[in-house]
Amino acid sequence: MKGHGQNNRFPTHHGYGEIRVSRYFVLYLSQIAWVALGFYLFSGAYWPSTCQPTDLFQVYACSMRLPEDGGGWREAALLTWLWATPILIMLEVSRRVGKSKD
């Protein structure tokens, strides 16, 4: 007996359906929006005088000081964006690396 909403087209692939063009469009659009958000936050953030980053490593080292000196919402959002981005990238890479050939 076939369950409600169950597709028998791919009986061995549970949770995987056809990927349509609209899914790719939404995926890439959201990635572009995420990067644009990062540029927006970074360009307007106030870095404390105790730490002025000049390269990517210093950006991460100084990011914990963003809330200092009365940092506002933009600095808090940039701190979250900076630390969420590598985690999201690692999750996507691990999802693709762990995928079986089936």
Side-chain angles (χ1 to χ4, degrees), residues 11-96:
T12 59
H13 293 84
H14 302 287
Y16 296 97
E18 293 180 20
I19 298 177
R20 299 177 193 261
V21 174
S22 62
R23 283 190 178 178
Y24 283 111
F25 178 73
V26 170
L27 174 68
Y28 291 121
L29 183 65
S30 62
Q31 288 175 347
I32 291 168
W34 182 258
V35 172
L37 174 66
F39 282 122
Y40 169 74
L41 294 171
F42 188 81
S43 67
Y46 170 75
W47 291 91
S49 58
T50 58
C51 194
Q52 296 290 318
T54 57
D55 61 24
L56 184 62
F57 294 112
Q58 287 182 354
V59 166
Y60 276 93
C62 293
S63 67
M64 297 312 260
R65 296 183 183 165
L66 279 169
E68 291 178 5
D69 297 335
W73 68 269
R74 184 174 281 183
E75 288 76 19
L78 178 60
L79 174 65
T80 304
W81 187 92
L82 282 170
W83 289 97
T85 300
I87 293 169
L88 292 171
I89 291 170
M90 286 187 287
L91 285 172
E92 181 63 22
V93 168
S94 71
R95 186 179 74 88
R96 293 188 184 272

